[in-house]
Amino acid sequence: MTLNPMRYLLLLSLLLASPVFAQDMADQTDFDGVHAALDLYLQGHATGNSDFMREAFHEDAKLFWIVDGEVQQRTATEFAGFFSGEPAPDEADRERRIVSIEVTGDAAIGVIELDYPTVKFVDYMSLLRVGDRWLIVNKSFQR
């Protein structure tokens, strides 16, 4: 069966106007925004450049982890201060990846693995859409 051009344009316009298609497009845009924020975080690790961290995290973000059964925390600003501006000496042997992203409305969760020669981290990132940007508002991790 051949589809005449007018019928094709009509079907295409109906598809583009459908709420399901519009929702799918919004979800992809949100997914891309969350991915971009997480990628900034990964770039900060890879380069040692704290500017990437400052761009990825909300200014009031906090990081939490457990040491010897006790909850530890630091601010995103304190965390960014640990970056020297240079890649780690063993950077060539380090691997990082975004494992998963889930988005619901203005909130998202991202899971990241940092696989280094002497340690592996799993980061759980909470993100919020703030204005037109996605920002990490909380990081908890396991070493």
Side-chain angles (χ1 to χ4, degrees):
M1 173 178 140
T2 33
L3 191 62
N4 76 40
M6 289 306 289
R7 184 170 274 169
Y8 175 76
L9 288 174
L10 176 62
L11 287 173
L12 183 60
S13 66
L14 290 172
L15 175 64
L16 291 174
S18 81
V20 171
F21 185 83
Q23 181 63 41
D24 287 346
M25 292 300 289
D27 289 346
Q28 185 61 48
T29 300
D30 292 337
F31 180 88
D32 291 345
V34 170
H35 194 281
L38 297 176
D39 192 52
L40 286 168
Y41 171 78
L42 295 178
Q43 288 179 59
H45 276 285
T47 64
N49 185 338
S50 63
D51 291 341
F52 288 115
M53 296 304 181
R54 288 185 182 90
E55 193 174 344
F57 283 88
H58 186 276
E59 62 189 21
D60 295 325
K62 295 261 174 104
L63 292 76
F64 293 90
W65 67 100
I66 303 287
V67 174
D68 297 326
E70 298 292 322
V71 174
Q72 306 290 308
Q73 70 173 309
R74 90 175 23 118
T75 67
T77 302
E78 291 168 331
F79 176 64
F82 285 102
F83 290 84
S84 67
E86 297 293 326
D90 64 353
E91 179 57 34
D93 298 323
R94 294 178 173 215
E95 294 182 24
R96 300 172 189 89
R97 71 184 188 107
I98 298 171
V99 175
S100 65
I101 294 174
E102 288 188 39
V103 181
T104 305
D106 293 327
I109 296 291
V111 178
I112 292 177
E113 288 180 354
L114 308 171
D115 194 357
Y116 296 166
T118 60
V119 65
K120 181 175 182 176
F121 294 94
V122 178
D123 294 337
Y124 296 90
M125 306 294 208
S126 296
L127 299 93
L128 293 174
R129 181 184 8 234
V130 180
D132 62 349
R133 295 187 55 221
W134 284 91
L135 296 170
I136 301 166
V137 295
N138 176 262
K139 170 187 165 178
S140 58
F141 65 92
Q142 176 64 47
R143 180 181 173 157

